[in-house]
C-alpha cells in the first residue's frame, strides 16, 4: 500500500475507540447513545479505573467530565498527559457554564478541546471527529518517523545493524574498553565463493543465503555483542569484554554453524555454504577502530589464502 493510500485509510477509518469518564448516569447514557452510532464507546465512572483501562488498551480519544462527584477530572487529564503510553492521546473535557477557571487550567495542561454543557450533539460529534482524525494523522507521522530511523540504522535485507550504525558505535565501544582496561575483540566474516552462488542461483538465491547466514550469526552473538552487515557478503561482530582466545571460540562456532547444515534457497534447492573468519583484539591505548578493523581484515584474507572455511587471528 502506498503512503497516500495508507494515510487515506488511517484518516477515513470510520469508528474511533472513545473512553468516556462520567459518573452521572443520565448524562453518561445520553452521551453514549449519541456516540455509539458512529464510535466504539466505553464508560468509566472512576478515574483510576479509567487510567488503568487507558494503559491496557488503545483508545483514539478520552472524554472527561469535570463534574465528577467524588473525583477531580483535571487530575486524570494531568496523569494521562504525564504517562508515556497516553501522552499523545487527545482529550476533550466537558465543562459546566461558569467553570471557566478550571477550563483554562485544563487548556494549560494540554487538553485538546472542550464542550460546554448543555452539549449540542452535532457539535460534539464534529469536534470528536476532528480530534480522532488529528490523532490518526499524528500516529501515521510518528510511525513513518520510527520506520525512517529504523531504516537509517538497519540493513533491510538481513535485519542486522548497518555499516553506518557500526562505525558510530564501534568508536564508543573501543573508547570504553581503553578507558576501563577491559578486552575487546572484533570478528570479520566473509561468505566463501559468494559470487558463484549469485551466478548459479541468481540474486534471489544469494539473498536467501545472506538472510540465513545472518540468522545463524544472530544465534551466535550475546546481548552485549554488536552484529552488523558491512555490505555485500561481509559481516562483523564487535565483542566487548572478550579476549582473543574467547573470540577464537566464537569465530570457530560461527564457522562450524555455517558449514554444518545446508542453506535452503528455494523450496526444492539446498546448497552448502562456508565462511572464513578473521579476528583481532584491542592491543594498546593507541588502538583505534580503524587499526583493529584493519588487523581483523588482514586475518580474514589470511584465512582465505589458507583455503577458506577457517578462522584466522591477527598475530601482530
Amino acid at each position: 500500500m502506498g503512503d497516500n493510500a495508507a494515510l487515506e485509510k488511517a484518516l477515513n477509518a470510520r469508528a474511533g475507540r472513545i473512553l468516556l469518564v462520567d459518573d452521572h448516569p443520565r448524562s453518561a447514557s445520553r452521551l453514549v447513545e449519541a456516540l455509539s452510532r458512529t464510535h466504539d464507546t466505553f464508560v468509566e465512572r472512576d478515574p483510576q479505573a479509567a487510567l488503568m483501562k487507558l494503559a491496557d488498551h488503545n483508545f483514539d480519544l478520552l472524554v472527561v467530565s469535570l463534574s465528577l462527584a467524588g473525583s477531580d477530572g483535571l487530575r486524570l487529564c494531568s496523569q494521562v498527559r504525564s504517562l508515556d503510553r497516553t501522552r499523545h492521546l487527545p482529550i476533550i473535557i466537558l465543562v459546566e457554564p461558569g467553570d471557566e477557571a478550571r477550563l483554562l487550567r485544563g487548556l494549560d495542561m494540554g487538553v485538546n478541546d472542550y464542550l460546554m454543557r448543555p452539549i449540542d450533539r452535532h457539535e460534539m460529534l464534529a469536534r470528536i471527529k476532528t480530534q480522532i482524525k488529528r490523532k490518526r494523522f499524528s500516529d501515521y507521522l510518528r510511525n513513518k518517523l520510527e520506520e525512517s530511523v529504523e531504516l537509517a540504522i538497519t540493513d533491510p535485507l538481513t535485519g542486522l545493524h548497518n555499516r553506518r550504525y557500526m562505525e558510530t558505535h564501534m568508536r564508543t565501544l573501543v573508547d570504553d574498553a581503553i578507558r576501563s582496561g577491559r578486552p575487546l575483540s572484533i570478528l570479520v566474516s566473509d561468505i566463501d565463493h559468494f559470487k558463484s552462488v549469485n551466478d548459479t542461483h541468481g540474486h534471489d538465491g544469494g539473498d536467501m543465503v545472506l538472510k540465513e547466514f545472518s540468522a545463524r550469526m544472530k544465534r551466535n552473538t550475546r546481548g552485549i555483542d554488536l552484529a552488523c552487515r558491512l555490505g555485500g557478503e561481509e559481516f562483523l561482530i564487535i565483542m566487548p569484554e572478550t579476549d582473543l582466545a574467547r573470540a577464537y571460540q566464537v569465530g570457530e562456532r560461527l564457522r562450524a554453524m555455517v558449514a554444518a547444515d545446508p542453506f535452503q534457497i528455494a523450496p526444492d534447492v539446498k546448497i552448502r555454504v562456508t565462511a572464513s573468519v578473521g579476528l583481532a583484539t584491542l592491543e594498546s591505548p593507541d588502538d583505534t577502530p580503524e587499526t583493529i578493523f584493519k588487523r581483523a581484515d588482514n586475518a580474514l584474507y589470511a584465512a582465505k589464502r589458507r583455503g577458506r572455511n577457517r578462522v584466522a587471528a591477527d598475530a601482530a
Side-chain angles (χ1 to χ4, degrees):
M1 187 185 294
D3 284 355
N4 289 339
L7 176 58
E8 200 66 29
K9 183 180 178 186
L11 294 184
N12 291 329
R14 189 185 69 85
R17 282 174 58 86
I18 299 173
L19 181 62
L20 169 66
V21 182
D22 191 348
D23 60 5
H24 191 285
R26 202 161 61 243
S27 161
S29 65
R30 275 201 307 269
L31 293 170
V32 169
E33 183 188 355
L35 292 172
S36 294
R37 294 175 187 177
T38 45
H39 301 287
D40 299 326
T41 309
F42 304 82
V43 184
E44 278 295 344
R45 296 172 56 85
D46 175 50
Q48 288 313 302
L51 201 61
M52 291 174 66
K53 188 167 273 189
L54 290 170
D56 292 339
H57 303 282
N58 287 321
F59 284 91
D60 294 305
L61 178 68
L62 172 66
V63 180
V64 180
S65 169
L66 295 194
S67 314
L68 299 174
S71 318
D72 181 3
L74 283 180
R75 186 162 184 272
L76 171 62
C77 296
S78 175
Q79 290 172 316
V80 167
R81 277 290 166 268
S82 67
L83 296 174
D84 278 347
R85 179 174 171 83
T86 55
R87 180 164 298 157
H88 302 291
L89 179 68
I91 304 173
I92 293 179
I93 53 177
L94 310 179
V95 187
E96 298 290 342
D99 203 4
E100 281 78 10
R102 297 179 79 220
L103 167 59
L104 288 174
R105 278 176 52 209
L107 294 173
D108 283 345
M109 72 174 58
V111 163
N112 300 77
D113 203 349
Y114 68 93
L115 288 161
M116 195 68 74
R117 294 184 190 271
I119 291 163
D120 178 89
R121 178 174 167 273
H122 296 293
E123 183 185 7
M124 176 179 71
L125 291 175
R127 293 190 179 215
I128 281 174
K129 182 180 179 184
T130 297
Q131 291 303 326
I132 290 175
K133 207 162 190 175
R134 281 182 187 167
K135 177 180 186 289
R136 287 178 176 166
F137 184 58
S138 63
D139 286 350
Y140 170 81
L141 292 179
R142 263 194 299 278
N143 289 338
K144 292 299 291 179
L145 180 62
E146 286 169 9
E147 284 171 16
S148 65
V149 169
E150 185 69 15
L151 286 172
I153 63 171
T154 306
D155 172 56
L157 178 67
T158 64
L160 296 174
H161 291 302
N162 61 17
R163 187 176 198 125
R164 182 197 303 176
Y165 184 89
M166 178 277 292
E167 286 171 347
T168 304
H169 283 263
M170 185 172 175
R171 188 163 301 280
T172 303
L173 292 171
V174 169
D175 289 346
D176 288 348
I178 291 171
R179 191 170 57 252
S180 65
R182 291 175 177 162
L184 175 140
S185 296
I186 71 168
L187 175 158
V188 182
S189 183
D190 185 283
I191 298 172
D192 297 327
H193 302 297
F194 186 70
K195 184 177 182 301
S196 70
V197 174
N198 275 334
D199 291 345
T200 307
H201 302 284
H203 284 286
D204 287 348
D207 285 352
M208 292 301 292
V209 168
L210 292 170
K211 285 181 184 177
E212 177 58 25
F213 180 90
S214 301
R216 296 187 193 189
M217 190 171 168
K218 283 178 193 170
R219 292 200 293 273
N220 198 47
T221 54
R222 304 164 299 173
I224 62 169
D225 297 335
L226 186 62
C228 314
R229 182 186 178 199
L230 293 178
E233 68 273 25
E234 195 169 19
F235 297 81
L236 175 142
I237 306 175
I238 306 170
M239 297 175 283
E241 302 189 22
T242 306
D243 61 19
L244 200 55
R246 168 80 180 120
Y248 196 94
Q249 293 175 343
V250 174
E252 180 54 34
R253 194 165 68 235
L254 174 63
R255 183 208 64 75
M257 194 183 279
V258 171
D261 298 309
F263 283 50
Q264 185 99 39
I265 62 168
D268 54 348
V269 180
K270 289 184 177 182
I271 60 170
R272 289 279 175 186
V273 175
T274 62
S276 300
V277 176
L279 304 168
T281 192
L282 176 68
E283 291 175 356
S284 81
D286 296 327
D287 256 334
T288 65
E290 292 76 21
T291 58
I292 307 170
F293 178 79
K294 182 67 176 166
R295 292 200 300 270
D297 214 34
N298 289 341
L300 173 63
Y301 280 105
K304 295 278 191 189
R305 282 196 308 273
R306 293 173 198 161
R308 297 182 170 85
N309 191 26
R310 64 192 63 222
V311 179
D314 168 65

